[in-house]
Amino acid sequence: MLQINDLSISFSGQQVLKEISFNIHAGERIGLVGRNGSGKTTLFKIITGELHPDEGRILIPKNYTIGYLKQHLKFNQPTLLEEACLGLQEDEKDQIWKAEKILAGLGFTEEELYKSPLEFSGGFQVRLNLAKVLLGEPHLLLLDEPTNYMDIISLKWLTRFLQRRENELMIITHDRDFMNAITTHTMVIHRKKVKKIEGDTIKLFEQIAVEEEVYEKTRLKDEKVRKETMDFINRFRALAARATLVQSRVKALEKMGKKEELTKEAELGFKFNYLDFEAHYPMRVENLSYGYTPDKILFENLSIDINKDDRICVIGKNGKGKSTLLKLLAGELETKTGKVYRHPQCSMGYFGQTNIERLNPDNTVEKEFQMVRPEMAYTDIRRTCGAMMFSGDAALKSISILSGGEKSRVSLGKILLNPANLLLLDEPTNHLDIESCDSMIVAIDNFPGAVIIVTHSEMFLHHLANRLIVFNEDKAFVFEGTYQDFLDRVGWEPEVKKQKKEKESGPVKKVNPQAAAANYKKQRKNITDRTAEIEKKIDEDEAILEAMNLKIAQESGKLGGAEIQAMQIESHRHQQEVDKGYKELETLVAELDVLDKNKPE
């Protein structure tokens, strides 16, 4: 068991963590959440010994190993496979097959194993670092945003790998579904303290909301008692006959203490500015093909009419051309074959993976926004700063000292300053925290125009997509339907092949009729019992959702934008639970149909 006792740390006089204590027990898989800048990565670095706390201590068992996925990239072996094998334990140096298996799972082909690590992009180099950490099989595995550089297929593999892993894990990720799929516990850094529970993020945030509501009610009650006591003391202080009573009240007041009012946590509360568009299609793509070299064609003959209110998700393996496609649509790359037609009234907001690199490190946040719209009133610039969680002096921070998440918010803020009717978003949630990702979904939901988004988050895909551009099996094609439709009708190439292989392999075994009948009854009861549970849960969630939506409608004219935004995010979370319930219900109904069709005689 690893123990953290009364740990505190400050930077430049600003306290980040204050007297935090928690334990990591054998086999626990902990999702670490909290606002960007709350100290999540700092805590990881303290656990690994890269940073030393101002106070407190860490008790690590003897011979207890810790593996940490670092983002810095330094390689010294001639091939990818040899570099990965450096991660193998000393007594397993000859088990090269383990390295091959993990590299394949992370998306490397057999041919790529013998290339130099330096030939790969930064994202694939981070995957190589991840392979080395996984091969080390540490007691405690620390993963800081591993999903930022992973496509859906690799992410599914990593999910299964971590689910099967028996040792301890702590993970920081903005992908709520991925976190909830692999963790047993959730821990939040909130108001410089930590809170750890058994369960998922939604359960944790609900507990915090209830606790803070109780705290605030208690504080207001105490303030009322304090005021009444002070009034009594002031009224009778000068009367000798009441001196004993007055002294008694003074002592009671001193013992009572004072609860400080909770400061409001900064939230990413924004909306994309919409520019009216009356035509049907802001953009049309005809027979678009592109390759950086003649022998490396990324996609060919891609055609699509983009409707004015489309939600098009671009999905597929990394390195296949998704970001390139968005650059072509945005006009950042010149088309070679095919055409991209933009309506004269089409106004685009483009968030690319290189947006962060284009920020001027010498500018402040405020100055960076001013350069986008020099004519805009200063109060409007400051309002945008506040919407992106740079209120007060935070707007005067230099770009050079900002974290990755803060730079992402600056890039998003620059898009907000120019009204648009077509958004091109290339993995906009990278470097954002979970709460900010929720705000992003709400902002996209409320945007009346078209959105084309590259994302590997299945939560985003299930919630947003009405059409897909799929990069799969070395080609790109348009899929008319939702992400669930795609999974049901097409599926991902490796998974489809695996299912087919499993179906075709192995001889048919003879089954005892009585055992088969008993097994059928047992399976049917399990499915019907689970169906009843899900239906009950859906009814409960829908009742909560209906009440929340009614409250939003009633309060929309009374509350400010931030309060309404918070209510919308909470409403969205409950809608996700309802959607999740219906999806599971559909699966159970399908399983029951299959079971009944194959009912033993």
Side-chain angles (χ1 to χ4, degrees), residues 284-290 299-305 325 328 335-341 478:
R284 282 179 161 168
V285 178
E286 288 187 4
N287 299 319
L288 188 64
S289 302
Y290 197 86
F299 53 87
E300 293 183 290
N301 300 321
L302 181 66
S303 297
I304 183 171
D305 290 343
L325 174 62
L328 288 164
T335 57
K336 297 177 181 178
T337 305
K339 293 287 184 182
V340 177
Y341 298 100
V478 176

Side-chain angles (χ1 to χ4, degrees), residues 4 30 117 160 262 415 474 540 564 588:
I4 306 283
I30 302 168
R160 292 191 295 269
L262 295 176
I415 293 175
D474 296 322
E540 291 170 353
I564 293 296
L588 290 169

